[in-house]
Amino acid sequence: MRSVFILGTDTGIGKTYAAVRIIRHLRESGMSVGVMKPYSAGKSVKTGAKSEDAHILAKAAGVIPDSSINPDHQEMEASPYTRCVMGYTAPDPQNIIQQYRALESRFDAMVVEGMGGCMVPILHDYYMMDLARDMGLPAIIVSDNKIGAVNHCIMSVHVCRFRNVQLDGIILNKMHHDGYSIDVLQKSLEGMMDVPIMGIIQNDMLVMN
């Protein structure tokens, strides 16, 4: 595995959990790993990187959680574009990409975690998945197993391909006891798409296929 951008079918579906396990896998293979949480929202928890997710990623990678890994954090729980509509300063994806390039040069691999789902808008007609594409990173889509996950996965894959985002695969996260069984979800997705199910999270473990 190499550098990767972690996308999701939705918010709160385990992107950070998956990212941490991928970071650990890369480090165990002897690689130095940089991390980035370009956009985040919610309560600011610490100095440096403001997002709790960014601190979790930094700890897993063994790097300092400074603002360079979490350059755009706002306490308002909304997409960057929604904040812009409400009168806040418009985000600058090119600045984010420049900061990513500076981080990338220092490490063997990078793990970047997006915010929310694939189509969280950063600007008008510029989405989280577009940032992955413009960083030149392949993406992994993380999905939970709730009823509706098949629909969300298919839509996420199709829209990523429409926007020329390279997909490495999908990681399924068993979060809901009343959702799909992982076996059924995996077989359903594999029967409809040619994107591999590259890993499964259950019982607090990520098992890569």
Side-chain angles (χ1 to χ4, degrees):
M1 188 180 292
R2 56 197 187 284
S3 298
V4 69
F5 196 111
I6 308 297
L7 292 170
T9 55
D10 201 349
T11 189
I13 45 76
K15 292 189 302 297
T16 304
Y17 189 98
V20 165
R21 269 110 192 115
I22 290 170
I23 292 164
R24 289 176 180 171
H25 172 76
L26 291 169
R27 293 188 72 191
E28 286 168 1
S29 70
M31 302 176 76
S32 63
V33 182
V35 297
M36 194 178 198
K37 177 81 175 182
Y39 295 96
S40 57
K43 183 178 178 181
S44 297
V45 292
K46 297 178 181 178
T47 57
K50 301 296 185 181
S51 163
E52 181 179 3
D53 287 351
H55 279 264
I56 293 170
L57 298 178
K59 182 178 180 180
V63 300
I64 298 171
D66 60 30
S67 59
S68 69
I69 71 171
N70 183 210
D72 190 319
H73 176 82
Q74 300 291 333
E75 293 204 348
M76 179 187 296
E77 293 190 358
S79 73
Y81 177 69
T82 300
R83 299 195 309 251
C84 182
V85 168
M86 297 178 69
Y88 288 74
T89 303
D92 183 0
Q94 290 306 313
N95 181 55
I96 296 288
I97 292 169
Q98 289 176 7
Q99 293 190 59
Y100 167 75
R101 298 285 178 233
L103 281 172
E104 179 187 36
S105 67
R106 295 162 43 195
F107 299 97
D108 297 327
M110 288 289 296
V111 176
V112 181
E113 182 192 344
M115 172 186 178
C118 296
M119 287 200 68
V120 165
I122 299 172
L123 297 168
H124 174 71
D125 198 34
Y126 191 88
Y127 305 96
M128 201 60 59
M129 60 189 170
D130 295 328
L131 185 63
R133 179 199 62 213
D134 292 348
M135 285 180 170
L137 291 174
I140 294 173
I141 295 174
V142 180
S143 171
D144 62 7
N145 67 317
K146 67 185 174 187
I147 302 302
V150 172
N151 173 64
H152 294 160
C153 280
I154 292 171
M155 288 195 300
S156 297
V157 167
H158 283 199
V159 75
C160 281
R161 285 182 164 166
F162 181 75
R163 306 288 286 200
N164 297 314
V165 178
Q166 179 186 341
L167 292 177
D168 272 2
I170 296 170
I171 289 177
L172 301 178
N173 186 9
K174 185 179 179 181
M175 297 179 66
H176 307 285
H177 295 295
D178 57 349
Y180 289 109
S181 73
I182 290 296
D183 287 346
V184 168
L185 182 55
Q186 180 172 355
K187 289 177 182 177
S188 296
L189 294 172
E190 289 177 339
M192 300 187 69
M193 300 184 298
D194 59 356
V195 178
I197 306 302
M198 64 185 303
I200 293 171
I201 300 171
Q202 56 183 341
N203 300 323
D204 201 34
M205 292 183 62
L206 170 60
V207 178
M208 302 300 287
N209 292 333

